[in-house]
Amino acid sequence: MTDTRLVHTVGARALEWLWAHRDGFRLEPDVDPEVGFLERFKPVGELGVICSVLFREGVAGSRQARLARGLLDHAWREVLDGGRMLLRGQHKEPLSPIPWEVYLPFKELGYDLPDLERHALLNHRLDSWAALETKPNRRLGLSAFQRRSGLTPRPHEQEALAATWLARTPEPWTVEGHIAYDVTHTVFHLTRWGEDPDGLPARLADYLAAWLPVWLDDWRDLRHWDLLGELLVVDACLPRPTFDEAAWEAFAGAQQPDGAMPAVRGLPATDDAQELFDVVYHPTLVAAFASTLATSRALSDLAHAS
Amino acid sequence: MKQSGTSALLQGAVQDLASGVASALRGGGHPSREPLDAPLRPTGDLDLAAARVLGADLLLPGVLDHTPPPGARELDLARRAFDAYPPPATAAPTVAWSHWALGRALHRVTGPSGTAPAPGRVPEPGPEPDASWLTGAPWPSLTHHLAVLAPLALPVEDCALTRVARGRTLDVARGFVRAVRRRDWYQAAGAGRWLTVLPDVPHTLGLPGGLDFVELMGGGDSRVLLQVRAARLIGSGVTV
């Protein structure tokens, strides 16, 4: 049985690192047009999604709740300039779903940007938006976001789900790193980022319960902490999480004293703070995410058992 | 250097023996074009050691129906390996089980319905070794040990070890996935063979394709090839 304190500590330390390095979440308004202004929105979007999970689960503790709220405020006011950067991105690429995806977790927490919502409403009516060519699990994510926004998903989530790797429950021995990430994201979208474990169809939950232990074992041995963290999130979304002890202990052991979580093996040797941030922010966010969901599930299982 | 030279020679001898068995298993119900009963030649310590490594699988064609009987050389080797390497009381459980399995195979092929080319029945081996050490083993080490003991993965084999295995199908299936992911083809082939005799294998495992994949990637090793062919034969319903 994994020590819940150990799981919780991973998240608390990750959040401290994110707060201390919040200036790393920044856009590049003057970026080369070939790279694209919206490229730098990804970290902000992930920060919004995951901090909203921390808030929602309410198990992180009062200091962690304050830090999560502080990070969201920072992202909205400083990075997104009160939302104006989202509009600017939308005007640069009117058909892009990215500004709206970044916006939705903030909107659900009370931040407001009506002009961006008008763009989303218009785009939703366009066949071009529904026809955008994307990976199947991202298409599923877009449909899930439309439903969360109160829009009718185009295509429906069931249709989008059917095209994903996970929905076909293929041979588990064929999984490589990129497929594993497709699996984790399909689960995130189906469960509304862990909020609704029942969103995972029983057939897929059974499949994951059978094979997830192997993948946890594998990516733990490979010391691929970023992917291991996402797989631990998937575990916490299952009807009966395993809270895999060996995986959690290795994950906690990989975390640096300041709370940073390396992506693979150890931290890169660099003095460039932004370069280090770009490598570390995602696994550290994932660590906070996995810790919060696993702690929440462990506590609710405990409550049901008593 | 001498050590590694000896080791390489032994590996070569094991490969030769395994290759012969794998050839005999080829084609299921059809007699092999490469019969095992090649002319007897003098056998040395290396052959005996190789026979010990291959264990009961040396006699597998004689144990399974519709495959050619073992040749006189294989039977002789198996008999002598069985006598030459009795496991000490302190032997690792896999060593004890491997020896017991060889005795069981000798008893089968020399019995009244056996296929041995020469008379002289080998009695039942002694009592079964203990299998309780495997009951609570984590699934990765369970699979590792079972793969080493794949010669016991037979359609009607009933011993303490197979009873433990039958209760842990999902764990063995996980071990198969792990071995394939880690490119441990020998372990994957052994686990795959066990899965052909275990109940309720999850269909999402895709075992037939998995065995083909193991053969494609690791079939250059005759021991891998032997296990894959044994798995296919057993999976197709061949009995002992």
Side-chain angles (χ1 to χ4, degrees):
Chain A
M1 182 64 194
T2 306
D3 182 353
T4 309
R5 277 174 306 180
L6 177 136
V7 174
H8 176 264
T9 303
V10 167
R13 292 166 69 192
L15 209 51
E16 294 289 348
W17 186 91
L18 291 165
W19 176 249
H21 296 80
R22 61 192 177 281
D23 288 342
F25 292 100
R26 58 185 179 84
L27 305 181
E28 292 179 28
D30 303 320
V31 72
D32 182 339
E34 288 299 315
V35 175
F37 178 53
L38 293 175
E39 283 299 306
R40 289 293 307 179
F41 276 70
K42 183 170 176 277
V44 189
E46 290 160 343
L47 179 72
V49 166
I50 289 171
C51 282
S52 68
V53 172
L54 302 187
F55 236 63
R56 185 190 67 217
E57 297 295 334
V59 294
S62 58
R63 172 163 172 79
Q64 285 77 43
R66 277 202 308 280
L67 291 181
R69 187 76 209 195
L71 279 166
L72 287 163
D73 281 341
H74 172 79
W76 184 257
R77 290 177 190 153
E78 305 297 328
V79 186
L80 297 174
D81 192 16
R84 276 180 284 278
M85 286 297 178
L86 292 171
L87 274 175
R88 181 169 166 179
Q90 193 77 82
H91 288 174
K92 275 183 186 282
E93 296 184 40
L95 202 62
S96 172
I98 293 174
W100 171 71
E101 286 177 281
V102 173
Y103 170 62
L104 191 60
F106 289 96
K107 173 183 161 60
E108 289 175 345
L109 289 167
Y111 302 86
D112 202 26
L113 196 61
D115 282 352
L116 192 74
E117 291 180 34
R118 280 198 284 278
H119 276 281
L121 284 173
L122 170 59
N123 279 342
H124 183 253
R125 281 168 34 213
L126 301 179
D127 288 339
S128 179
W129 218 41
L132 277 179
E133 295 190 11
T134 65
K135 287 185 76 171
N137 73 79
R138 173 147 163 74
R139 168 60 64 196
L140 173 67
L142 292 173
S143 292
F145 263 45
Q146 289 169 41
R147 178 171 52 80
R148 282 173 69 167
S149 308
L151 303 169
T152 301
R154 297 178 67 196
H156 276 287
E157 283 160 286
Q158 282 307 316
E159 186 186 332
L161 172 61
T164 63
W165 188 94
L166 177 61
R168 300 178 197 202
T169 61
E171 299 86 351
W173 41 268
T174 60
V175 167
E176 301 289 350
H178 62 97
I179 296 177
Y181 277 111
D182 290 339
V183 168
T184 61
H185 282 253
T186 299
V187 173
F188 299 165
H189 298 315
L190 286 172
T191 61
R192 197 178 160 122
W193 295 82
E195 182 179 4
D196 176 24
D198 292 340
L200 193 59
R203 183 177 68 88
L204 303 188
D206 288 346
Y207 176 82
L208 289 167
W211 309 121
L212 184 64
V214 189
W215 302 333
L216 285 169
D217 176 80
D218 227 20
W219 275 286
R220 183 201 72 218
D221 269 8
L222 292 170
R223 301 169 66 206
H224 194 316
W225 313 118
D226 188 70
L227 181 50
L228 182 68
E230 293 208 3
L231 293 170
L232 288 170
V233 172
V234 171
D235 179 57
C237 290
L238 294 180
R240 284 174 297 281
T242 64
F243 307 116
D244 189 299
E245 190 170 354
W248 269 108
E249 284 185 357
F251 196 52
Q255 193 172 32
Q256 303 299 298
D258 65 354
M261 183 63 79
V264 181
R265 294 183 288 279
L267 291 181
T270 176
D271 294 328
D272 185 325
Q274 188 63 41
E275 190 183 327
L276 184 66
F277 177 88
D278 287 347
V279 173
V280 165
Y281 87 87
H282 188 267
T284 307
L285 266 176
V286 168
F289 183 24
S291 159
T292 302
L293 274 192
T295 305
S296 173
R297 286 302 304 272
L299 293 180
S300 62
D301 285 2
L302 209 59
H304 288 145
S306 59
Chain B
M1 293 304 290
K2 188 180 176 194
Q3 179 79 24
S4 63
T6 306
S7 173
L9 282 173
L10 175 58
Q11 284 179 23
V14 172
Q15 287 292 320
D16 284 348
L17 279 183
S19 174
V21 175
S23 292
L25 295 177
R26 183 172 53 201
H30 304 288
S32 169
R33 288 192 302 264
E34 300 169 39
L36 285 175
D37 50 354
L40 278 173
R41 63 176 173 80
T43 55
D45 290 349
L46 200 61
D47 298 294
L48 269 190
R52 184 199 189 198
V53 171
L54 206 56
D57 276 344
L58 187 57
L59 304 174
L60 184 62
V63 169
L64 293 177
D65 274 347
H66 308 298
T67 50
R73 176 171 177 257
E74 281 65 37
L75 192 62
D76 176 61
L77 263 180
R79 278 183 200 266
R80 294 206 291 130
F82 183 76
D83 292 338
Y85 302 108
T90 55
T94 46
V95 173
W97 273 105
S98 190
H99 188 261
W100 185 85
L102 179 57
R104 180 91 146 186
L106 277 166
H107 176 71
R108 275 209 174 99
V109 299
T110 59
S113 59
T115 54
R121 180 152 209 203
V122 174
E124 275 270 20
E128 292 178 14
D130 174 45
S132 60
W133 57 282
L134 209 51
T135 305
W139 58 267
S141 58
L142 171 84
T143 310
H144 166 76
H145 292 308
L146 284 180
V148 171
L149 296 171
L152 281 166
L154 294 169
V156 295
E157 185 60 78
D158 184 37
C159 61
L161 193 91
T162 56
R163 286 192 289 275
V164 170
R166 275 200 290 271
R168 298 192 63 182
T169 301
L170 179 58
D171 284 338
V172 180
R174 285 173 174 161
F176 175 82
V177 175
R178 181 177 190 269
V180 173
R181 282 270 315 133
R182 291 169 189 241
R183 307 300 189 243
D184 184 340
W185 307 121
Y186 179 63
Q187 188 177 142
R193 174 169 163 187
W194 272 105
L195 287 165
T196 61
V197 299
L198 298 183
D200 306 320
V201 175
H203 75 277
T204 54
L205 176 64
L207 183 60
L211 287 170
D212 290 348
F213 185 68
V214 170
E215 180 178 9
L216 199 59
M217 297 289 285
D221 179 337
S222 296
R223 295 191 308 157
V224 173
L225 197 60
L226 189 166
Q227 297 304 339
V228 170
R229 287 186 178 167
R232 287 216 192 89
L233 275 174
I234 295 166
S236 71
V238 164
T239 56
V240 296

